[in-house]
Amino acid sequence: MLKAGGALLLTALNLPAQESQSSVAPPASSDLRDEINPGYVSRPGTAQPALGDVDKAADQAFFEEAFRELSNRQRPWNLRYGAETRWMMDSNTRLSDAADGVDSDTSYNISPYAQFLYGSKDSRLQWYADYRLTATFFEKFQDENAINQFATTKLTVNGAKFKADANLTLRSVRGGDLDVGGQAQRDQLLAGTTLTYQASQRSLFGLMGSSDLSDYQGDLQGFRRDLAGVFYDYLPSAKLAVGAQINSFLDRLEEGPDQTGLQYLGRLNWLATSKLTVQGSAGWEQRSAGDYEGGVPIFNFSARYALSSKLALTLSGYRGAMMSPTAGNRFFYRTGGTGALKWDLGARWSLAFTGGVEDSLYDTTDFDVPVDRQDFVWFVRPNVQYRLGTHVNAEVFLQRTVNDSQGTNGRSFDRDLFGVGLNFTF
């Protein structure tokens, strides 16, 4: 059973009903990140906006297509399903330090998925569900074979002035983990809810809460993260919302003291132009845990600029705390960001280039056990897609990842990936 916890820095930024709703997600609580596990979380070929953040581009495209079909067919629901297949060469399957010897391997995977949408943009009730299974098989290291599962559902109820939504995500995954320094099996449950009240045309009040339960197998420890917050947004125009938020959080681990604290955040959601959007939050986090008492700045933002109808740039950055599954007295703050450029070369060809960096500085709740670890990771990833037909497209990608890890329990590695895939959508 999970005994431990932490805080999600969720900030549900809301514009008026006629504008699109959005939320800025924090770094993922487990290390399911695209620069380590490409394709586990985001669909291939979509530009990855943040280390640790799930790319929303594919889902948004599905929503827009589904809403058009709902209008045309006069039905309240839509279903999309498909499968993705990949062949991938991995120069460092176990994320090993060069001094320890590097093991390369080839893997194959197949990933069927289904998405269901009920309701339209203007309906009172909206429901979204997504399920994906990814089976990965290695040629040499068959002990690394894995069946990974992802399930997400979200329910939204819209009223004249009130809006409520609840979401639930389940993950059972084996994949690379920077903190662990190799492959790790983890089961995770993420739950969240947000309630907003539009008091006037310019004022919006909100309450939110979230929980993250993460269970790691083997000698690794699990944790639980609980957070509750209240926020206020002022809307001087239909395209701008600025506000403030206060969160209270509790982080509980299977070993080690509880960690508690408060977050004081400023909020922004700005449709600057028809081409530029900016959203995010920034502020201060005060944390108490055992011998540790301190505060640090935190932030989470994303921006998208459409350079043309076929060329788009996405930038994002974040800083937030993470619990360590390897030691009960350790936690660390991750500071990072990415840039993603996607270019539609024509009706069939598209090109994406993504790069990112992240710095992780470790701290301790027990001053008798000093911690001196610091990780710095960067990656670059070009990706090319070609649409073979209405329902089939092919992709090729290269990826270079380098992790420089200093201090006790640090584990540096270099990794090169080459992958080819076919994606079917119906």
Side-chain angles (χ1 to χ4, degrees):
M1 179 179 293
L2 295 174
K3 304 176 183 176
L8 292 177
L9 313 179
L10 295 179
T11 55
L13 302 179
N14 295 275
L15 288 176
Q18 68 269 23
E19 299 293 340
S20 61
Q21 303 293 330
S22 62
S23 64
V24 180
S29 58
S30 60
D31 221 359
L32 302 180
R33 300 185 294 169
D34 200 56
E35 79 277 20
I36 302 300
N37 302 294
Y40 279 12
V41 180
S42 64
R43 286 170 181 77
T46 58
Q48 189 73 6
L51 304 178
D53 189 18
V54 178
D55 183 20
K56 302 298 190 299
D59 289 337
Q60 184 63 35
F62 168 57
F63 291 150
E64 293 175 356
E65 178 184 354
F67 284 136
R68 286 195 299 269
E69 290 189 15
L70 293 177
S71 300
N72 294 335
R73 300 183 183 184
Q74 297 297 309
R75 70 183 187 189
W77 60 272
N78 202 353
L79 174 67
R80 182 176 73 169
Y81 56 93
E84 297 164 0
T85 61
R86 277 190 175 184
W87 171 84
M88 189 162 62
M89 294 178 59
D90 188 341
S91 70
N92 191 351
T93 303
R94 302 183 189 272
L95 307 184
S96 302
D97 191 308
D100 299 329
V102 176
D103 297 317
S104 62
D105 202 354
T106 300
S107 65
Y108 309 85
N109 70 46
I110 181 168
S111 181
Y113 66 88
Q115 294 179 308
F116 177 81
L117 176 68
Y118 177 88
S120 66
K121 290 182 178 180
D122 301 321
S123 65
R124 181 178 177 83
L125 179 66
Q126 299 169 357
W127 178 38
Y128 171 67
D130 181 298
Y131 174 76
R132 165 179 295 258
L133 182 148
T134 300
T136 303
F137 305 97
F138 290 86
E139 281 194 349
K140 292 190 299 184
F141 304 114
Q142 297 183 10
D143 57 318
E144 301 287 357
N145 292 350
I147 302 294
N148 300 316
Q149 298 187 72
F150 308 86
T152 299
T153 186
K154 181 176 181 179
L155 181 67
T156 301
V157 179
N158 296 302
K161 292 188 175 182
F162 284 95
K163 176 182 177 180
D165 66 61
N167 58 82
L168 180 67
T169 298
L170 300 173
R171 296 171 177 166
S172 179
V173 178
R174 178 176 176 81
D177 191 297
L178 287 176
D179 180 53
V180 174
Q183 302 290 331
Q185 173 71 43
R186 79 296 307 265
D187 297 318
Q188 184 180 32
L189 184 149
L190 297 164
T193 184
T194 304
L195 176 65
T196 60
Y197 173 66
Q198 189 85 42
S200 68
Q201 185 177 2
R202 297 187 182 276
S203 293
L204 183 141
F205 296 88
L207 300 172
M208 59 82 64
S210 63
S211 291
D212 174 351
L213 288 77
S214 295
D215 188 19
Y216 285 73
Q217 292 187 7
D219 296 332
L220 303 174
Q221 69 168 342
F223 50 81
R224 175 172 174 172
R225 307 184 147 190
D226 296 310
L227 178 145
V230 57
F231 60 89
Y232 168 77
D233 284 339
Y234 175 70
L235 298 89
S237 73
K239 295 185 177 181
L240 176 64
V242 293
Q245 180 165 344
I246 299 177
N247 296 330
S248 176
F249 63 84
L250 170 63
D251 296 0
R252 305 188 65 185
L253 294 91
E254 291 180 353
E255 299 178 6
D258 292 349
Q259 302 189 25
T260 60
L262 294 171
Q263 298 168 349
Y264 307 93
L265 303 172
R267 298 156 52 88
L268 173 68
N269 196 342
W270 184 26
L271 305 178
T273 68
S274 60
K275 294 184 177 182
L276 176 64
T277 61
V278 181
Q279 57 186 3
S281 63
W284 187 262
E285 176 179 285
Q286 193 70 27
R287 180 178 292 264
S288 299
D291 296 334
Y292 179 88
E293 179 74 35
V296 298
I298 58 175
F299 59 87
N300 199 329
F301 75 87
S302 65
R304 186 178 186 276
Y305 181 63
L307 298 158
S308 70
S309 60
K310 296 185 177 182
L311 184 63
L313 174 66
T314 302
L315 299 173
S316 57
Y318 56 87
R319 189 182 195 204
M322 277 278 297
M323 299 299 100
S324 173
T326 60
N329 64 333
R330 293 198 320 183
F331 66 97
F332 54 97
Y333 279 93
R334 294 165 52 179
T335 306
T338 58
L341 187 66
K342 186 174 182 181
W343 186 14
D344 292 328
L345 301 174
R348 293 182 178 272
W349 290 95
S350 65
L351 172 67
F353 184 88
T354 307
V357 297
E358 180 179 282
D359 182 76
S360 297
L361 183 62
Y362 284 71
D363 215 321
T364 180
T365 62
D366 183 358
F367 290 165
D368 292 332
V369 185
V371 172
D372 60 353
R373 180 174 169 181
Q374 183 172 9
D375 295 345
F376 182 82
V377 61
W378 61 266
F379 82 103
V380 292
R381 181 183 180 185
N383 177 289
V384 178
Q385 282 200 34
Y386 179 73
R387 183 170 295 277
L388 298 170
T390 305
H391 302 291
V392 184
N393 68 294
E395 64 149 346
V396 177
F397 74 89
L398 296 170
Q399 182 167 307
R400 170 73 171 170
T401 306
V402 176
N403 182 40
D404 182 15
S405 183
Q406 306 293 329
T408 306
N409 300 128
R411 189 171 183 179
S412 301
F413 67 85
D414 292 9
R415 187 190 198 190
D416 294 301
L417 298 172
F418 172 71
V420 177
L422 284 175
N423 312 312
F424 305 87
T425 302
F426 304 96

